[in-house]
Amino acid sequence: GQSLEQPSEVTAVEGAIVQINCTYQTSGFYGLSWYQQHDGGAPTFLSYNALDGLEETGRFSSFLSRSDSYGYLLLQELQMKDSASYFCAVRDTYGSSYKLIFGSGTRLLVRP
Amino acid sequence: SAVISQKPSRDICQRGTSLTIQCQVDSQVTMMFWYRQQPGQSLTLIATANQGSEATYESGFVIDKFPISRPNLTFSTLTVSNMSPEDSSIYLCSVEDSRGDTQYFGPGTRLTVL
C-alpha cells in the first residue's frame, strides 16, 4: 500500500522553530512536496525536494532523505500567520504520468 | 504560476440531485486534477482529466458518480451525481506546472447535501 505519516498536531510559540516530519511508503517516488493550507483556504505550495538534502526558502526549509523515506519541513521564526495545516505529498507515477499522494496533514498552532 | 477559479464557491443541495462544478485556468494545461477534502482531513484524488481523452479515476471513484468533462486546455467540469449526505465535502481542482514540481489549487467548492 501507499502511506504518508505525519504528526496530527504541533504547537509552538511565536518566534520559535518547529519541525514537521513525514515518512512515506509508496510504490514510486519522484519527489516530496509540502503544502500549506489555512482554514477555509486552498492548499498552497511551499517546497519540493527531488534529491536528498536541504532546500531553503526564506523562513521555511525542507529536507529529504530518500534512503530513509523521510523528510521534514522546518519553520523558523514562527509567526501567528503560520498557524495552518501542513501536508507532505509524494509525487508518484500514475500510468504514463504522475500524481500527488497527500499525507494526513499536521495542524500547527502558533501561540503568542 | 496559474490562477484557477471555481464555480460555485459553495452550494447546498438536496439528496438525489446532481451538481456540476466548473474549473477555469488562466493558462493552457495538459492535466487537471480533481480532489475531495472532508473538513479537517487530507486531500483525496478523485480523477485526473486530460484534454481529449477520458478521465482516469482513482480507486473508489467511478465515472457514473463523478463524470468529468475536459473540452479544452483551460476548462474542466466535475459532476457529483445522485448526491447523498456522504458527498458533503470540499471539491478542489488543481493543475501542475510545466516541470511537475508544483500543483496550484482552485479555491474549492464547499458542497453540503441535505
Side-chain angles (χ1 to χ4, degrees), chain A residues 33 35 37 40 42-43 45 48 87 91 94 97-100 102-104, chain B residues 31 33 35 37 41-43 45 48 56 58 96 100-103 105-106:
Chain A
S33 302
Y35 287 80
Q37 186 178 32
F45 172 80
Y48 175 75
F87 295 90
R91 190 163 183 251
Y94 188 64
S97 187
Y98 301 96
K99 67 178 181 180
L100 282 182
F102 283 83
S104 54
Chain B
M31 296 173 64
F33 305 87
Y35 290 86
Q37 185 178 32
Q41 302 296 314
S42 185
L43 289 86
L45 181 65
T48 302
T56 304
E58 288 294 286
E96 204 171 53
D101 295 352
T102 306
Q103 279 202 9
F105 287 84

Side-chain angles (χ1 to χ4, degrees), chain B residues 2 12-13 15 31 35 38 53 57 65 76 85 91 108:
Chain B
I12 300 173
C13 301
R15 180 195 299 261
M31 296 173 64
Y35 290 86
Q38 303 281 358
S53 62
Y57 289 82
K65 175 68 176 178
S76 178
Y91 292 84

Side-chain angles (χ1 to χ4, degrees), chain A residues 3-7 18-25 29 31-34 47-55 61-75 86-90 103 106:
Chain A
S3 67
L4 286 83
E5 294 192 7
Q6 50 181 130
V18 70
Q19 178 173 314
I20 300 173
N21 298 322
C22 175
T23 57
Y24 58 87
Q25 182 177 0
F29 179 85
L32 183 70
S33 302
W34 290 91
S47 69
Y48 175 75
N49 294 67
L51 303 175
D52 290 354
L54 189 68
E55 295 280 344
S61 303
S62 58
F63 172 82
L64 174 65
S65 169
R66 289 175 297 171
S67 60
D68 295 323
S69 298
Y70 164 76
Y72 66 72
L73 179 69
L74 190 73
L75 298 84
Y86 293 83
F87 295 90
C88 60
V90 165
T106 298

